[in-house]
Amino acid sequence: TYRYLTSLKLFGEPLMVGTSLEAGNIWDDIDDVSLNNAKYAGSVFGAIKTPIGPIQLGIGMNKNGDSNIYFYLGRTIENY
């Protein structure tokens, strides 16, 4: 995940933008683990601080073109 704090303001707060790249899968046996059958995806997002906690809105997509919009309100575990 890469995040960048921009000089742009949204509701008086700096806008943070970012992107992520992910790879993974679930395998039954350790011998099955391989990048050849991993699932790949990525996302882009924007975030701002608010009085009730950080808000993040983004869209993710996998290599098959399946996509998902997501919304977070509050801190994620990596913020601690």
Side-chain angles (χ1 to χ4, degrees):
T1 301
Y2 175 78
R3 296 180 180 152
Y4 178 75
L5 188 60
T6 71
S7 60
L8 302 172
K9 302 272 185 180
L10 188 62
F11 305 114
E13 290 290 334
L15 175 65
M16 180 182 294
V17 296
T19 187
S20 71
L21 297 174
E22 299 127 26
N25 205 339
I26 298 174
W27 295 274
D28 289 327
D29 298 309
I30 191 77
D31 295 331
D32 295 334
V33 176
S34 169
L35 290 177
N36 293 330
N37 59 10
K39 309 290 185 191
Y40 296 95
S43 70
V44 293
F45 59 86
I48 61 168
K49 286 195 264 181
T50 73
I52 59 172
I55 291 178
Q56 182 174 317
L57 180 65
I59 185 168
M61 184 177 289
N62 67 18
K63 71 175 189 174
N64 297 328
D66 299 323
S67 62
N68 196 10
I69 295 173
Y70 63 90
F71 172 83
Y72 290 126
L73 172 60
R75 299 192 180 279
T76 60
I77 196 164
E78 66 185 46
N79 295 121
Y80 286 103

Coordinates of all heavy atoms in Angstrom, one line a residue:
T1 N 0.9 -1.2 0.0 CA 0.0 0.0 0.0 C 0.9 1.2 0.0 O 1.9 1.3 0.7 CB -0.9 0.0 1.2 OG1 -1.7 -1.2 1.2 CG2 -1.8 1.2 1.3
Y2 N 0.5 2.2 -0.8 CA 1.2 3.5 -0.9 C 0.2 4.6 -0.6 O -0.9 4.6 -1.2 CB 1.9 3.7 -2.3 CG 2.5 5.1 -2.4 CD1 3.7 5.3 -1.8 CD2 1.9 6.1 -3.1 CE1 4.3 6.6 -1.9 CE2 2.5 7.3 -3.2 CZ 3.7 7.6 -2.6 OH 4.2 8.8 -2.7
R3 N 0.5 5.5 0.3 CA -0.3 6.6 0.6 C 0.4 7.9 0.4 O 1.6 8.0 0.7 CB -0.8 6.6 2.0 CG -1.7 5.4 2.3 CD -2.1 5.4 3.8 NE -2.9 4.2 4.0 CZ -3.0 3.6 5.1 NH1 -2.3 4.1 6.2 NH2 -3.8 2.6 5.3
Y4 N -0.3 8.9 -0.1 CA 0.3 10.3 -0.3 C -0.6 11.3 0.2 O -1.8 11.4 -0.2 CB 0.5 10.5 -1.8 CG 1.1 11.8 -2.1 CD1 2.4 12.1 -1.9 CD2 0.3 12.8 -2.7 CE1 3.0 13.3 -2.2 CE2 0.8 14.0 -3.0 CZ 2.2 14.3 -2.7 OH 2.7 15.5 -3.0
L5 N -0.1 12.2 1.1 CA -0.9 13.3 1.6 C -0.8 14.5 0.7 O 0.3 15.1 0.5 CB -0.4 13.7 3.0 CG -1.2 14.7 3.8 CD1 -2.6 14.2 4.0 CD2 -0.6 15.0 5.1
T6 N -1.9 14.8 0.0 CA -1.9 15.9 -1.0 C -2.0 17.3 -0.3 O -2.4 17.4 0.9 CB -3.0 15.7 -2.0 OG1 -4.2 16.0 -1.4 CG2 -3.0 14.3 -2.6
S7 N -1.8 18.3 -1.1 CA -2.1 19.7 -0.6 C -3.5 20.1 -0.9 O -4.0 21.1 -0.5 CB -1.1 20.6 -1.3 OG -1.3 20.6 -2.7
L8 N -4.3 19.2 -1.5 CA -5.7 19.5 -1.8 C -6.5 19.3 -0.5 O -6.2 18.5 0.4 CB -6.3 18.5 -2.8 CG -5.6 18.4 -4.2 CD1 -6.1 17.3 -5.0 CD2 -5.8 19.7 -4.9
K9 N -7.5 20.2 -0.3 CA -8.4 20.2 0.9 C -9.8 19.7 0.5 O -10.3 20.1 -0.5 CB -8.4 21.6 1.5 CG -7.1 22.1 1.9 CD -6.7 21.7 3.3 CE -5.5 22.4 3.7 NZ -5.0 22.1 5.0
L10 N -10.4 18.9 1.4 CA -11.7 18.5 1.2 C -12.4 18.7 2.6 O -11.9 18.1 3.6 CB -11.8 17.0 0.8 CG -13.1 16.4 0.5 CD1 -13.7 17.1 -0.7 CD2 -13.0 14.9 0.2
F11 N -13.4 19.5 2.7 CA -14.0 19.9 3.9 C -13.0 20.5 4.9 O -13.1 20.3 6.1 CB -14.8 18.7 4.6 CG -15.8 18.1 3.7 CD1 -15.6 16.8 3.2 CD2 -16.9 18.8 3.3 CE1 -16.5 16.2 2.4 CE2 -17.8 18.2 2.4 CZ -17.6 16.9 2.0
G12 N -12.0 21.2 4.4 CA -11.0 21.8 5.2 C -9.9 20.9 5.7 O -9.0 21.3 6.4
E13 N -9.9 19.7 5.3 CA -8.9 18.7 5.7 C -8.1 18.2 4.5 O -8.6 18.1 3.4 CB -9.5 17.5 6.3 CG -10.1 17.7 7.7 CD -9.1 18.0 8.8 OE1 -7.9 17.5 8.6 OE2 -9.5 18.7 9.7
P14 N -6.8 17.9 4.7 CA -6.0 17.4 3.6 C -6.5 16.1 3.0 O -6.9 15.3 3.8 CB -4.6 17.3 4.2 CG -4.6 17.9 5.5 CD -6.0 18.1 5.9
L15 N -6.5 15.9 1.7 CA -6.9 14.7 1.1 C -5.7 13.8 1.0 O -4.7 14.2 0.5 CB -7.5 15.0 -0.3 CG -7.9 13.8 -1.1 CD1 -9.0 13.0 -0.5 CD2 -8.2 14.3 -2.5
M16 N -5.9 12.5 1.4 CA -4.9 11.5 1.2 C -5.3 10.6 0.1 O -6.5 10.2 0.1 CB -4.7 10.7 2.5 CG -3.6 9.6 2.4 SD -3.4 8.6 3.9 CE -2.8 9.8 5.0
V17 N -4.5 10.3 -0.8 CA -4.8 9.3 -1.9 C -3.8 8.2 -1.8 O -2.7 8.3 -1.2 CB -4.7 10.0 -3.3 CG1 -5.8 11.1 -3.4 CG2 -3.4 10.6 -3.6
G18 N -4.2 7.0 -2.3 CA -3.3 5.9 -2.2 C -3.7 4.8 -3.2 O -4.7 4.9 -3.9
T19 N -2.9 3.8 -3.2 CA -3.1 2.6 -4.1 C -2.5 1.4 -3.4 O -1.7 1.5 -2.5 CB -2.4 2.8 -5.4 OG1 -2.8 1.7 -6.3 CG2 -0.9 2.9 -5.3
S20 N -3.0 0.2 -3.7 CA -2.5 -1.0 -3.1 C -2.4 -2.1 -4.2 O -3.2 -2.0 -5.2 CB -3.4 -1.5 -2.0 OG -4.6 -2.0 -2.5
L21 N -1.5 -3.0 -4.1 CA -1.4 -4.2 -4.9 C -1.4 -5.4 -4.0 O -0.7 -5.3 -2.9 CB -0.1 -4.1 -5.7 CG 0.0 -3.0 -6.8 CD1 1.4 -3.0 -7.4 CD2 -1.1 -3.1 -7.8
E22 N -2.1 -6.4 -4.3 CA -2.2 -7.6 -3.4 C -2.1 -8.8 -4.2 O -2.5 -8.9 -5.4 CB -3.6 -7.5 -2.7 CG -3.8 -6.3 -1.8 CD -5.1 -5.6 -2.1 OE1 -6.0 -6.2 -2.7 OE2 -5.2 -4.4 -1.9
A23 N -1.6 -9.9 -3.6 CA -1.5 -11.2 -4.1 C -1.7 -12.2 -3.0 O -1.2 -12.0 -1.9 CB -0.2 -11.4 -4.8
G24 N -2.4 -13.3 -3.2 CA -2.6 -14.3 -2.2 C -3.6 -15.4 -2.7 O -4.1 -15.3 -3.8
N25 N -3.8 -16.3 -1.8 CA -4.7 -17.4 -2.1 C -4.8 -18.2 -0.8 O -4.1 -17.9 0.2 CB -4.3 -18.3 -3.3 CG -5.4 -19.0 -3.9 OD1 -6.5 -19.2 -3.4 ND2 -5.2 -19.4 -5.2
I26 N -5.6 -19.3 -0.8 CA -5.7 -20.2 0.2 C -5.4 -21.6 -0.4 O -6.0 -22.0 -1.3 CB -7.1 -20.2 0.9 CG1 -7.4 -18.8 1.5 CG2 -7.2 -21.3 1.9 CD1 -8.8 -18.7 2.0
W27 N -4.4 -22.3 0.2 CA -4.0 -23.6 -0.3 C -4.2 -24.6 0.8 O -4.1 -24.3 2.0 CB -2.6 -23.6 -0.7 CG -2.3 -22.6 -1.8 CD1 -2.4 -23.0 -3.1 CD2 -1.8 -21.3 -1.8 NE1 -2.0 -21.9 -3.9 CE2 -1.7 -20.8 -3.1 CE3 -1.5 -20.4 -0.7 CZ2 -1.2 -19.5 -3.4 CZ3 -1.1 -19.1 -1.1 CH2 -1.0 -18.7 -2.4
D28 N -4.6 -25.8 0.4 CA -4.8 -26.9 1.4 C -3.4 -27.5 1.9 O -3.3 -27.8 3.0 CB -5.6 -28.1 0.7 CG -7.0 -27.7 0.5 OD1 -7.6 -27.0 1.3 OD2 -7.6 -28.2 -0.5
D29 N -2.4 -27.5 1.0 CA -1.1 -28.1 1.4 C 0.0 -27.1 1.1 O -0.1 -26.4 0.1 CB -0.9 -29.4 0.6 CG -1.9 -30.5 0.9 OD1 -2.1 -30.8 2.1 OD2 -2.4 -31.0 0.0
I30 N 1.0 -27.1 1.9 CA 2.1 -26.2 1.7 C 2.8 -26.4 0.3 O 3.3 -25.5 -0.3 CB 3.2 -26.4 2.8 CG1 4.2 -25.2 2.7 CG2 3.9 -27.7 2.8 CD1 3.8 -23.9 3.2
D31 N 2.7 -27.7 -0.2 CA 3.3 -28.0 -1.5 C 2.5 -27.3 -2.7 O 3.1 -27.2 -3.8 CB 3.4 -29.5 -1.7 CG 4.3 -30.2 -0.8 OD1 5.3 -29.5 -0.3 OD2 4.1 -31.3 -0.4
D32 N 1.3 -26.9 -2.4 CA 0.5 -26.3 -3.5 C 0.7 -24.8 -3.6 O 0.3 -24.2 -4.6 CB -1.0 -26.5 -3.2 CG -1.4 -27.9 -3.2 OD1 -0.8 -28.7 -3.9 OD2 -2.4 -28.3 -2.5
V33 N 1.5 -24.2 -2.6 CA 1.7 -22.7 -2.7 C 2.5 -22.4 -3.9 O 3.6 -22.9 -4.1 CB 2.4 -22.3 -1.4 CG1 2.7 -20.8 -1.4 CG2 1.5 -22.6 -0.2
S34 N 2.0 -21.4 -4.7 CA 2.7 -21.0 -5.9 C 2.2 -19.7 -6.4 O 1.0 -19.4 -6.2 CB 2.4 -22.1 -7.0 OG 2.9 -21.6 -8.3
L35 N 3.0 -18.9 -6.9 CA 2.6 -17.6 -7.5 C 1.7 -17.8 -8.8 O 1.0 -17.0 -9.2 CB 3.7 -16.7 -7.8 CG 4.4 -16.1 -6.6 CD1 5.6 -15.2 -7.0 CD2 3.5 -15.3 -5.8
N36 N 1.9 -19.0 -9.4 CA 1.1 -19.3 -10.6 C -0.4 -19.4 -10.4 O -1.1 -19.1 -11.3 CB 1.6 -20.6 -11.3 CG 3.0 -20.5 -11.8 OD1 3.5 -19.4 -12.2 ND2 3.8 -21.6 -11.7
N37 N -0.8 -19.8 -9.2 CA -2.2 -19.9 -8.9 C -2.7 -18.9 -7.9 O -3.7 -19.0 -7.2 CB -2.6 -21.3 -8.6 CG -1.9 -21.8 -7.3 OD1 -1.3 -21.1 -6.6 ND2 -2.1 -23.1 -7.1
A38 N -1.9 -17.8 -7.7 CA -2.2 -16.8 -6.7 C -3.3 -15.9 -7.3 O -3.5 -15.8 -8.6 CB -1.0 -15.9 -6.4
K39 N -4.1 -15.2 -6.5 CA -5.1 -14.2 -6.9 C -4.5 -12.9 -6.8 O -3.8 -12.5 -5.8 CB -6.3 -14.3 -6.0 CG -6.9 -15.7 -5.8 CD -7.5 -16.2 -7.1 CE -8.2 -17.6 -6.8 NZ -8.6 -18.2 -8.0
Y40 N -4.6 -12.0 -7.8 CA -4.0 -10.7 -7.9 C -5.1 -9.6 -7.9 O -6.1 -9.8 -8.6 CB -3.1 -10.6 -9.1 CG -1.9 -11.5 -9.0 CD1 -2.0 -12.7 -9.7 CD2 -0.8 -11.2 -8.3 CE1 -0.9 -13.6 -9.6 CE2 0.3 -12.0 -8.3 CZ 0.2 -13.2 -8.9 OH 1.3 -14.1 -8.9
A41 N -4.9 -8.5 -7.2 CA -5.8 -7.5 -7.2 C -5.1 -6.2 -6.8 O -4.0 -6.2 -6.4 CB -6.9 -7.7 -6.2
G42 N -5.8 -5.1 -7.0 CA -5.3 -3.8 -6.6 C -6.4 -2.8 -6.3 O -7.6 -3.1 -6.6
S43 N -6.1 -1.7 -5.7 CA -7.1 -0.7 -5.4 C -6.5 0.7 -5.5 O -5.3 0.9 -5.5 CB -7.7 -0.9 -4.0 OG -6.7 -0.6 -3.0
V44 N -7.4 1.7 -5.6 CA -7.1 3.1 -5.5 C -8.1 3.7 -4.5 O -9.3 3.2 -4.4 CB -7.2 3.9 -6.8 CG1 -6.1 3.4 -7.7 CG2 -8.5 3.8 -7.5
F45 N -7.7 4.6 -3.7 CA -8.6 5.2 -2.6 C -8.2 6.6 -2.3 O -7.2 7.1 -2.6 CB -8.5 4.3 -1.4 CG -7.1 4.2 -0.8 CD1 -6.6 5.1 0.1 CD2 -6.3 3.1 -1.1 CE1 -5.4 5.0 0.7 CE2 -5.1 3.0 -0.6 CZ -4.6 3.9 0.3
G46 N -9.2 7.3 -1.6 CA -9.0 8.6 -1.1 C -9.4 8.6 0.4 O -10.3 7.8 0.8
A47 N -8.8 9.4 1.2 CA -9.2 9.4 2.6 C -9.0 10.9 3.2 O -8.2 11.6 2.7 CB -8.3 8.5 3.4
I48 N -9.9 11.2 4.2 CA -9.7 12.4 4.9 C -10.0 12.2 6.4 O -10.6 11.2 6.8 CB -10.7 13.5 4.4 CG1 -12.2 13.1 4.6 CG2 -10.4 14.0 3.0 CD1 -13.2 14.2 4.4
K49 N -9.5 13.1 7.3 CA -9.8 13.0 8.7 C -11.2 13.7 8.9 O -11.4 14.8 8.3 CB -8.8 13.7 9.5 CG -7.5 12.9 9.7 CD -6.6 13.4 10.8 CE -5.6 14.4 10.2 NZ -4.7 14.9 11.2
T50 N -12.0 13.2 9.8 CA -13.2 13.9 10.2 C -13.3 13.9 11.7 O -12.6 13.2 12.4 CB -14.5 13.2 9.6 OG1 -14.7 12.0 10.3 CG2 -14.3 12.9 8.1
P51 N -14.3 14.7 12.3 CA -14.4 14.7 13.8 C -14.8 13.3 14.3 O -14.6 13.0 15.5 CB -15.5 15.7 14.0 CG -15.5 16.6 12.8 CD -15.1 15.7 11.6
I52 N -15.4 12.4 13.5 CA -15.8 11.1 14.0 C -14.8 10.0 13.6 O -15.1 8.8 13.8 CB -17.2 10.7 13.6 CG1 -17.4 10.8 12.0 CG2 -18.2 11.7 14.2 CD1 -18.7 10.2 11.5
G53 N -13.7 10.4 13.1 CA -12.7 9.4 12.6 C -12.4 9.5 11.2 O -13.0 10.2 10.4
P54 N -11.3 8.9 10.7 CA -10.9 8.9 9.3 C -12.0 8.2 8.4 O -12.6 7.2 8.9 CB -9.6 8.2 9.2 CG -9.4 7.5 10.5 CD -10.4 8.1 11.5
I55 N -12.2 8.8 7.2 CA -13.1 8.2 6.3 C -12.2 7.8 5.0 O -11.4 8.6 4.6 CB -14.2 9.1 5.8 CG1 -15.2 9.3 7.0 CG2 -14.9 8.6 4.6 CD1 -16.3 10.3 6.7
Q56 N -12.4 6.6 4.5 CA -11.7 6.2 3.3 C -12.7 5.6 2.4 O -13.6 4.8 2.7 CB -10.7 5.1 3.7 CG -9.8 4.6 2.5 CD -8.7 3.7 3.0 OE1 -8.0 3.9 4.0 NE2 -8.5 2.6 2.2
L57 N -12.6 6.0 1.1 CA -13.5 5.5 0.0 C -12.6 5.0 -1.1 O -11.6 5.7 -1.5 CB -14.4 6.6 -0.4 CG -15.4 6.2 -1.6 CD1 -16.4 5.1 -1.1 CD2 -16.1 7.4 -2.0
G58 N -12.8 3.8 -1.6 CA -11.9 3.3 -2.7 C -12.7 2.3 -3.5 O -13.8 1.9 -3.3
I59 N -11.9 1.9 -4.6 CA -12.4 0.9 -5.5 C -11.3 -0.1 -5.7 O -10.1 0.3 -5.9 CB -12.9 1.4 -6.8 CG1 -13.5 0.3 -7.7 CG2 -11.8 2.2 -7.5 CD1 -14.3 0.8 -8.9
G60 N -11.6 -1.4 -5.6 CA -10.6 -2.5 -5.9 C -11.0 -3.3 -7.1 O -12.2 -3.4 -7.4
M61 N -10.1 -3.9 -7.7 CA -10.3 -4.7 -8.9 C -9.3 -5.8 -9.0 O -8.2 -5.6 -8.7 CB -10.3 -3.9 -10.2 CG -10.6 -4.6 -11.5 SD -10.6 -3.6 -12.9 CE -12.0 -2.5 -12.6
N62 N -9.8 -7.0 -9.4 CA -8.9 -8.1 -9.6 C -8.6 -8.3 -11.1 O -9.1 -7.6 -11.9 CB -9.4 -9.4 -9.0 CG -10.7 -10.0 -9.7 OD1 -11.0 -9.6 -10.8 ND2 -11.4 -10.8 -9.0
K63 N -7.7 -9.2 -11.4 CA -7.2 -9.4 -12.8 C -8.3 -9.9 -13.7 O -8.2 -9.7 -14.9 CB -6.0 -10.3 -12.8 CG -6.2 -11.7 -12.6 CD -4.9 -12.5 -12.8 CE -5.2 -14.0 -12.8 NZ -4.1 -14.8 -13.1
N64 N -9.4 -10.4 -13.2 CA -10.5 -10.9 -14.0 C -11.5 -9.7 -14.3 O -12.5 -9.9 -15.0 CB -11.3 -12.0 -13.3 CG -10.4 -13.2 -13.1 OD1 -9.5 -13.5 -14.0 ND2 -10.6 -14.0 -12.1
G65 N -11.3 -8.6 -13.7 CA -12.1 -7.4 -14.0 C -13.3 -7.3 -12.9 O -14.1 -6.4 -13.0
D66 N -13.3 -8.2 -12.0 CA -14.3 -8.1 -10.9 C -13.9 -6.9 -10.0 O -12.7 -6.7 -9.7 CB -14.4 -9.3 -10.0 CG -14.8 -10.6 -10.8 OD1 -15.6 -10.4 -11.7 OD2 -14.2 -11.6 -10.6
S67 N -14.9 -6.1 -9.6 CA -14.5 -4.9 -8.8 C -15.4 -4.8 -7.6 O -16.5 -5.4 -7.5 CB -14.6 -3.6 -9.7 OG -15.9 -3.5 -10.2
N68 N -15.0 -3.9 -6.7 CA -15.7 -3.7 -5.5 C -15.5 -2.3 -5.0 O -14.3 -1.9 -5.0 CB -15.3 -4.7 -4.4 CG -16.3 -4.9 -3.3 OD1 -17.4 -4.3 -3.3 ND2 -15.8 -5.6 -2.2
I69 N -16.5 -1.6 -4.5 CA -16.3 -0.3 -3.9 C -16.3 -0.5 -2.4 O -17.1 -1.3 -1.9 CB -17.5 0.6 -4.3 CG1 -17.4 0.9 -5.8 CG2 -17.4 1.9 -3.5 CD1 -18.5 1.7 -6.4
Y70 N -15.4 0.2 -1.7 CA -15.4 0.0 -0.2 C -15.4 1.4 0.5 O -14.9 2.4 -0.1 CB -14.3 -0.9 0.2 CG -12.9 -0.4 -0.1 CD1 -12.2 0.4 0.8 CD2 -12.3 -0.7 -1.3 CE1 -11.0 0.9 0.6 CE2 -11.0 -0.2 -1.5 CZ -10.3 0.6 -0.6 OH -9.1 1.0 -0.9
F71 N -15.9 1.4 1.7 CA -16.0 2.5 2.6 C -15.6 2.1 4.0 O -16.0 1.2 4.5 CB -17.4 3.1 2.6 CG -17.7 4.2 3.6 CD1 -17.4 5.5 3.2 CD2 -18.2 3.9 4.8 CE1 -17.6 6.5 4.1 CE2 -18.5 4.9 5.7 CZ -18.2 6.2 5.4
Y72 N -14.6 2.9 4.5 CA -14.2 2.7 5.9 C -14.5 3.9 6.7 O -14.2 5.1 6.2 CB -12.7 2.4 6.1 CG -12.2 1.1 5.5 CD1 -11.1 1.1 4.6 CD2 -12.7 -0.1 5.9 CE1 -10.6 -0.1 4.1 CE2 -12.2 -1.3 5.4 CZ -11.2 -1.2 4.5 OH -10.7 -2.4 4.1
L73 N -15.0 3.8 7.9 CA -15.1 4.9 8.9 C -14.5 4.4 10.2 O -14.8 3.4 10.7 CB -16.6 5.2 9.2 CG -16.9 6.2 10.3 CD1 -16.2 7.5 10.0 CD2 -18.4 6.3 10.5
G74 N -13.5 5.1 10.6 CA -12.7 4.7 11.7 C -11.3 4.2 11.4 O -11.0 4.0 10.2
R75 N -10.6 3.9 12.3 CA -9.2 3.4 12.1 C -9.2 1.9 11.7 O -10.0 1.1 12.3 CB -8.4 3.6 13.3 CG -8.2 5.1 13.7 CD -7.2 5.2 14.8 NE -7.0 6.6 15.1 CZ -6.4 7.5 14.4 NH1 -5.8 7.2 13.3 NH2 -6.3 8.8 14.9
T76 N -8.3 1.6 10.8 CA -8.0 0.2 10.6 C -6.9 -0.3 11.5 O -6.2 0.5 12.1 CB -7.6 -0.1 9.1 OG1 -6.4 0.7 8.8 CG2 -8.7 0.4 8.2
I77 N -6.7 -1.6 11.6 CA -5.7 -2.1 12.6 C -4.3 -1.6 12.3 O -3.5 -1.4 13.2 CB -5.8 -3.6 12.6 CG1 -5.0 -4.1 13.9 CG2 -5.2 -4.2 11.4 CD1 -5.4 -5.5 14.2
E78 N -4.0 -1.3 11.0 CA -2.6 -0.8 10.7 C -2.3 0.6 11.2 O -1.2 1.0 11.2 CB -2.3 -0.9 9.2 CG -3.2 0.0 8.4 CD -3.0 -0.2 6.9 OE1 -3.0 -1.4 6.5 OE2 -2.8 0.8 6.2
N79 N -3.4 1.3 11.6 CA -3.2 2.7 12.1 C -2.8 2.7 13.6 O -2.5 3.8 14.1 CB -4.5 3.5 11.9 CG -4.8 3.7 10.5 OD1 -5.9 3.3 10.0 ND2 -3.9 4.3 9.7
Y80 N -2.8 1.6 14.2 CA -2.5 1.6 15.7 C -1.0 1.5 15.9 O -0.2 1.0 15.6 CB -3.2 0.5 16.4 CG -4.7 0.7 16.5 CD1 -5.6 0.1 15.7 CD2 -5.1 1.7 17.4 CE1 -6.9 0.4 15.8 CE2 -6.5 1.9 17.6 CZ -7.4 1.3 16.7 OH -8.7 1.6 16.8

